[in-house]
């Protein structure tokens, strides 16, 4: 996989990127399905140019919040603002040029090649007055390269493995070249090496282009490594919000996940490393005599 931000010039600066205030803001947002309220009165500001990751237990409301931020789900009450403007007041295509969403369970069309799927990311940029241009083809090629899919571009999406399909959807979102990326579990079906590649790519796009990223991840250690900020969602409300070191405490892990864990320092990144305890497993002492967790002392919290 290659980094599209490395070789190609940065996408043209958008006026929104320089405007003051948060990129996205939820004000008193209440969300539900069939009159069942799942999120009640959520206030959340997403600062421009940052990587924010929503974490929380299954069913806690992460995808519901992300769907509302991406205009896929209309609030029952309150409003979501993009660059200070109510999302609902903006035309759909204008929103899609500024904000790209990768849902947790996208509906994959049938009889479509990988390249055709990825090319859908360019639709918001096209119109009768601005048909297909070489810039569209270049954006698609960059996205295919970035996700390591160039060799699979002609394959039918129905024939892809789970991880390949997930990368194809991510390529579509990257081809959109939006200022804000909302990614719901972008690495779930990927092997560890590909998880790392995708998260490094996302961070690189954030750092080089100033793209604002909000994602949902389950791997707390990877979330801590690649995020400026973690927002912990529990029962539809924000349980904690801050830097990875502020948020990932044993107390919070117990409250949000009912998890008994120690938090160490990841020696490779300096970020918090969450290690769950299992009462049935004894603290290990490796053959070289290195102390196990029980003796880790000051390294844990
Ligand atoms: N389309 C829907 N119709 C009805 N209820 C829904 C729908 N989508 C989600 N819910 C419910 O809303 C609540 C929050 O779901 P949500 O998908 O936001 O959780 P999540 O935190 O993303 O979970 P996961 O980690 O499993 O993806 C759950 O109780 C879920 O059953
Ligand atoms: Mg979800």
């Amino acid at each position: 996989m290659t980094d599209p931000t490395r070789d190609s010039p940065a996408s043209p600066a958008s006026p929104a990127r320089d405007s003051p205030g948060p990129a996205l803001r939820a004000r008193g947002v209440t969300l539900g399905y069939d009159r069942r309220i799942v999120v009640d009165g959520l206030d959340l500001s997403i600062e421009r140019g940052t990587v924010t990751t929503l974490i929380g237990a299954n069913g806690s409301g992460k995808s519901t919040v992300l769907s509302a931020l991406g205009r896929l789900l209309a609030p029952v009450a309150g409003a979501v603002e993009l660059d200070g403007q109510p999302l609902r007041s903006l035309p759909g295509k204008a929103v899609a040029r500024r904000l790209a969403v990768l849902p947790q369970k996208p509906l994959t069309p049938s009889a479509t090649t990988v390249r055709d799927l990825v090319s859908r990311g360019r639709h918001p940029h096209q119109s009768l007055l601005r048909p297909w241009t070489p810039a569209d083809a270049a954006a698609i090629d960059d996205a295919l390269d970035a996700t390591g899919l160039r060799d699979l571009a002609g394959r039918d999406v129905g024939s892809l493995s789970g991880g390949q399909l997930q990368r194809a959807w991510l390529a579509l979102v990257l081809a959109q070249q939006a200022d804000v990326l909302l990614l719901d579990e972008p690495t779930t079906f990927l092997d560890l090496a590909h998880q790392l590649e995708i998260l490094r790519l996302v961070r690189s796009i954030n750092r080089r282009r100033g793209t604002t990223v909000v994602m949902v991840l389950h791997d707390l250690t990877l979330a801590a490594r690649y995020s400026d900020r973690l927002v912990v969602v529990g029962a539809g409300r924000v349980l904690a919000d801050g830097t990875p070191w502020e948020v990932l405490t044993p107390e919070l892990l117990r409250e949000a996940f009912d998890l008994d864990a120690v938090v160490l320092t990841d020696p490779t990144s300096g970020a918090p490393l969450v290690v769950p305890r299992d009462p049935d497993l004894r603290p290990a002492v490796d053959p070289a005599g290195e102390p196990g967790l029980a003796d880790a002392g000051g390294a844990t919290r």
Side-chain angles (χ1 to χ4, degrees):
M1 288 192 269
T2 59
D3 179 353
T5 63
R6 202 172 291 272
D7 303 319
S8 55
S11 49
S14 109
R17 206 168 278 170
D18 302 323
S19 63
L24 267 177
R25 183 166 194 174
R27 286 181 190 263
V29 165
T30 296
L31 304 164
Y33 302 96
D34 303 326
R35 294 202 201 100
R36 190 170 77 86
I37 299 302
V38 171
V39 171
D40 198 4
L42 175 84
D43 290 306
L44 187 65
S45 281
I46 305 295
E47 297 310 318
R48 206 173 300 284
T50 58
V51 177
T52 302
T53 299
L54 309 182
I55 58 173
N58 289 139
S60 57
K62 305 177 298 297
S63 295
T64 302
V65 169
L66 207 76
S67 299
L69 294 178
R71 208 167 95 150
L72 303 179
L73 181 67
V76 175
V80 176
E81 294 171 1
L82 175 65
D83 300 317
Q85 295 168 296
L87 213 44
R88 283 279 137 199
S89 72
L90 297 168
K93 245 182 167 178
V95 171
R97 281 194 295 270
R98 288 152 68 177
L99 184 150
V101 190
L102 175 65
Q104 185 172 359
K105 293 178 283 187
L107 269 180
T108 303
S110 56
T112 305
T113 65
V114 170
R115 176 171 272 278
D116 285 344
L117 182 75
V118 177
S119 70
R120 293 176 183 218
R122 299 306 297 168
H123 288 180
H125 297 273
Q126 289 159 356
S127 65
L128 280 177
L129 294 177
R130 186 206 176 280
W132 189 260
T133 71
D136 295 315
I140 292 163
D141 286 341
D142 282 351
L144 288 169
D145 286 342
T147 51
L149 289 173
R150 189 62 99 102
D151 292 344
L152 297 177
R155 280 268 293 274
D156 190 280
V157 287
S159 72
L160 299 178
S161 75
Q164 290 166 341
L165 181 61
Q166 191 164 30
R167 284 188 280 137
W169 276 106
L170 186 66
L172 184 161
V173 169
L174 296 181
Q176 221 168 308
Q177 294 186 329
D179 285 342
V180 181
L181 293 184
L182 304 182
L183 309 172
D184 198 344
E185 299 197 29
T187 58
T188 299
F189 297 110
L190 305 185
D191 63 62
L192 189 52
H194 278 115
Q195 288 183 43
L196 218 60
E197 287 275 8
I198 292 298
L199 292 174
R200 292 186 68 209
L201 174 67
V202 167
R203 189 178 58 177
S204 159
I205 290 170
N206 158 261
R207 296 288 190 258
R208 288 166 186 267
R209 292 186 177 165
T211 304
T212 306
V213 180
V214 184
M215 54 186 173
V216 175
L217 294 177
H218 279 298
D219 186 314
L220 301 178
T221 298
L222 290 180
R225 260 193 190 199
Y226 292 104
S227 312
D228 299 306
R229 173 185 177 198
L230 299 181
V231 175
V232 188
V233 181
R237 57 190 189 87
V238 174
L239 296 181
D241 182 347
T243 64
W245 274 113
E246 285 168 348
V247 164
L248 290 178
T249 63
E251 296 73 29
L252 184 280
L253 294 167
R254 187 166 287 109
E255 182 187 4
F257 297 97
D258 195 21
L259 184 71
D260 184 15
V262 291
V263 182
L264 309 174
T265 302
D266 175 353
T268 68
S269 67
L273 177 70
V274 175
V275 182
R277 288 184 201 270
D278 179 343
D280 295 334
L281 295 176
R282 295 220 215 139
V285 177
D286 80 19
E290 292 294 324
L293 278 182
D295 305 312
T300 62
R301 46 184 255 179

